Amino acid sequence: MKQPVALVDGADVFNPRDVSTETRERLLWLRCRDAGQAVKGADILLRDGNMPRVLMDLILCPDLGVRRIPAQVWHRLRMLAEKSGVVCCVLTAFQTVPCARSRLLLKLPHGLEALDRPRAELTAQLRGDVVGRGIGEKTGLRTSGMPLPLAAAS
Amino acid sequence: MKTKPSSSIHAAIWLPRFALQAALRVRPQSAGAVLAVLDGEAELTAGKEGGSDRIMHANLIAECRGIVPGMTSSQAMARCMKLTLLHRVAEEEERVQQKLLQCADHWTPNYESTEPGLCVLDLSAVRGIRQRRLSCGEDIRTELATHQLEARVGFADDPDHACLAAHAAESVLIHDGPESDSTLLGKLPIDVLHPTPVVMEVLRLWGVQTLAQLAALPREGVAARLGADGLHAWQLARGGTGRLLQRVRPVALFHETAELEHGVESLEPLLFLLRRMLETLCRRLAERWLVAAAEHLLLTFEDGSQHERLLRVAEPTRDEDLLLRVLLTHLDGLRTATAVKSVTLELTPARQCMRQNLLFERSLRDPQRFAETLAQLEALFGIGRMGKPRLLPTRRPDAFLMAGFLEQTPPAPARHDGPFHGLPLCCFRPPRDVGVSLHQHRPAFITTQKTTLTITAANGPCFLSGNWWDRQAWSREVWEVAASDGALYQLAREGGRWVLDGVFG
């Protein structure tokens, strides 16, 4: 099933050359200026409910902007996603969404040699830990797992 | 002669002396005079030497006095001093032609008009037409008479016979088959076939003056002596070949313009105006079983500036409320310096989608709402910041365009597709200026405004260049580096300046 996908690109960092033509044809790319605008865009898409998958990439957004998003906003987005039956995936550099149904910590232990390996091979080797499931479940959360590149540190 | 299927009925409407009838509508007071119309327009012939224009049509009184088409105006005036010469009026001829097409359109959508003043209708689908052909012909004549037009109507089983019947008719003539050919064809001169001048001259020399005489000639002889043009005329004289009609497809205009006496400064009156326009346009679409795929809005302001926007609809529709909502969403975020002076709204027509989704394919849940959502997003993000990315044919970084998500374009050749390698690059837009220290011609340190990173490993350089043939020439030296913060970066040197293109991951 080739469904359309919406990418809410919080820091406008997506490189369209990195995906196939077929993927680009079904991609709705929102090039946001900051995390606040990304939230507004995601809100509109989730209310609409026509996009079955919404990816919200906030990894390279400045920390401060992401931390300023109130918890009730995330709750609202979750309720909207549930109501419209949309799968919403938020990518952040640290634990941000308090009400996430599932939280996955991806490990990126790649060195420079990874840049020459086939993408499919890298995807197959991608490892992650489910660090939280359900609202309010007490789990040992790691608040920082990935290195923060220069973009997010500013 | 070929036997035509009896179920097919064609009617030809002919306006004799078409140009003269059109000119008389402009000067109705000349109706009773000795009249002829010249083959040039007044403006075009004003500078010509007098008497060089030729007679195109003459009325019955003039024909009785020996004035025939083809004469120069001097020759015609020599025959009758009381002759009134009229010039053709192109605009009026166009109007008369439109009246004729409208009349045909009332009977059937299947009609052709191969020359001004002649229209052939396929009436096969009209119920009970065979029994009431005479009354139908009279109805057509009556309708055109209300526009001061004299028409002759001919009925036959095939289009060419119908044309000949119309030319032979006094008012309405019904051609019922081969038995009436001798009567019908015998009446008509070969001019009605519009043969080429060469063929006409040869036939004249042979003494062939009527269609009956032409039809009586042997086919092989005509083909051998007169060629394809002569054979075509011979076939027409025999009643044609049972051809298909070259249907007239009227050009429908789906745009409305309103010039405002007083400029509109707020949204409410503008929406009122747009709603009225949409009602009219949607009605026109409905008449043709079409729907709107996009709305093109053009606002002209009092200071002369314009605002133009093409708003696409997710699923073509002619729902006025929905189309208005799309406009409202767009206009809601629009701020203008001066009042709106004129409004133009055009709908792009499309056929209604009759597609059935595949079993494993899911289309949009609510396409109509989605169009509105896209308009909202565009208002929030701005033009060029949302949609579908489309790559440009260059290797230069960040060379892409943003196309509308609903834009249907042919898929681009997948020249950049292939087995992807490495981690995706998250691009910094614009690339960030950094300082780079080299050690043995390789990057060793990256210095930003806040920190300095040590480069632990580096791949490269990779040289890229393009547009070397013009002023937009560019060249880059690209490095992939692992920094001491654990991230992988893409560094580039362009024109002696180091920039950070992005981070991998």
Side-chain angles (χ1 to χ4, degrees), chain B residues 164 168 180-190 209-215 237:
Chain B
L164 296 180
S180 60
D181 275 356
S182 55
T183 318
L184 175 65
L185 299 178
K187 286 183 180 177
L188 296 173
I190 54 175
Q209 292 179 344
T210 64
L211 298 190
Q213 290 169 343
L214 176 58

Side-chain angles (χ1 to χ4, degrees), chain B residues 14 152-154 164-173 184 188:
Chain B
W14 180 50
R152 295 178 187 174
V153 184
L164 296 180
H167 279 90
E170 292 294 330
S171 56
V172 180
L173 181 66
L184 175 65
L188 296 173

Side-chain angles (χ1 to χ4, degrees), chain B residues 275-314:
Chain B
R275 177 175 277 283
R276 273 179 43 196
M277 287 178 163
L278 278 173
E279 282 171 1
T280 309
L281 294 174
C282 288
R283 204 162 44 240
R284 279 187 213 161
L285 285 172
E287 283 171 2
R288 287 165 179 79
W289 298 93
L290 293 173
V291 286
E295 297 174 274
H296 180 244
L297 178 70
L298 175 66
L299 300 176
T300 307
F301 302 105
E302 283 181 341
D303 61 357
S305 61
Q306 289 188 326
H307 173 77
E308 195 173 0
R309 198 80 190 90
L310 182 69
L311 302 164
R312 293 194 175 276
V313 187

Side-chain angles (χ1 to χ4, degrees), chain A residues 13-14 18 48 50 84 119, chain B residues 365-366 373 422 425 427 429:
Chain A
V13 293
F14 172 67
D18 272 329
D48 177 78
N50 274 297
S84 54
R119 179 80 55 84
Chain B
R365 289 175 191 165
D366 186 354
T373 302
L425 178 70
C427 303
R429 296 189 175 96

Side-chain angles (χ1 to χ4, degrees), chain B residues 313-493:
Chain B
V313 187
E315 192 149 298
T317 179
R318 55 172 178 264
D319 182 346
E320 295 155 23
D321 292 332
L322 177 84
L323 293 171
L324 188 70
R325 273 210 307 277
V326 173
L327 286 171
L328 169 64
T329 310
H330 172 67
L331 291 171
D332 214 15
L334 184 68
R335 298 287 175 270
T336 63
T338 53
V340 178
K341 199 173 110 188
S342 81
V343 185
T344 301
L345 182 64
E346 181 176 0
L347 300 185
T348 307
R351 294 209 173 273
Q352 208 140 18
C353 185
M354 301 296 283
R355 188 173 64 112
Q356 182 176 2
N357 289 334
L358 299 175
L359 185 60
F360 294 108
E361 185 181 274
R362 193 167 62 174
S363 65
L364 298 172
R365 289 175 191 165
D366 186 354
Q368 310 301 8
R369 183 175 175 178
F370 190 57
E372 210 179 325
T373 302
L374 289 179
Q376 274 183 355
L377 289 171
E378 189 158 15
L380 175 66
F381 287 86
I383 297 169
R385 294 196 68 86
M386 56 82 61
K388 205 187 288 183
R390 191 145 293 159
L391 298 184
L392 296 175
T394 170
R395 287 284 175 186
R396 196 178 177 102
D398 257 9
F400 64 88
L401 289 173
M402 293 299 281
F405 186 71
L406 299 174
E407 227 168 76
Q408 294 295 328
T409 49
R415 52 180 292 189
H416 299 293
D417 286 359
F420 290 97
H421 281 80
L423 299 167
L425 178 70
C426 296
C427 303
F428 297 151
R429 296 189 175 96
R432 296 176 182 182
D433 284 315
V434 290
V436 173
S437 306
L438 300 178
H439 177 65
Q440 293 180 345
H441 305 292
R442 299 176 73 81
F445 298 98
I446 301 175
T447 309
T448 66
Q449 290 177 346
K450 293 181 179 176
T451 183
T452 299
L453 297 174
T454 307
I455 293 175
T456 55
N459 278 348
C462 173
F463 293 99
L464 292 175
S465 64
N467 291 79
W468 46 265
W469 55 88
D470 61 24
R471 291 180 182 178
Q472 308 298 322
W474 59 274
S475 65
R476 314 183 94 227
E477 174 189 331
V478 181
W479 291 83
E480 295 163 349
V481 298
S484 53
D485 62 354
L488 305 177
Y489 294 100
Q490 180 169 299
L491 268 177
R493 181 156 61 175

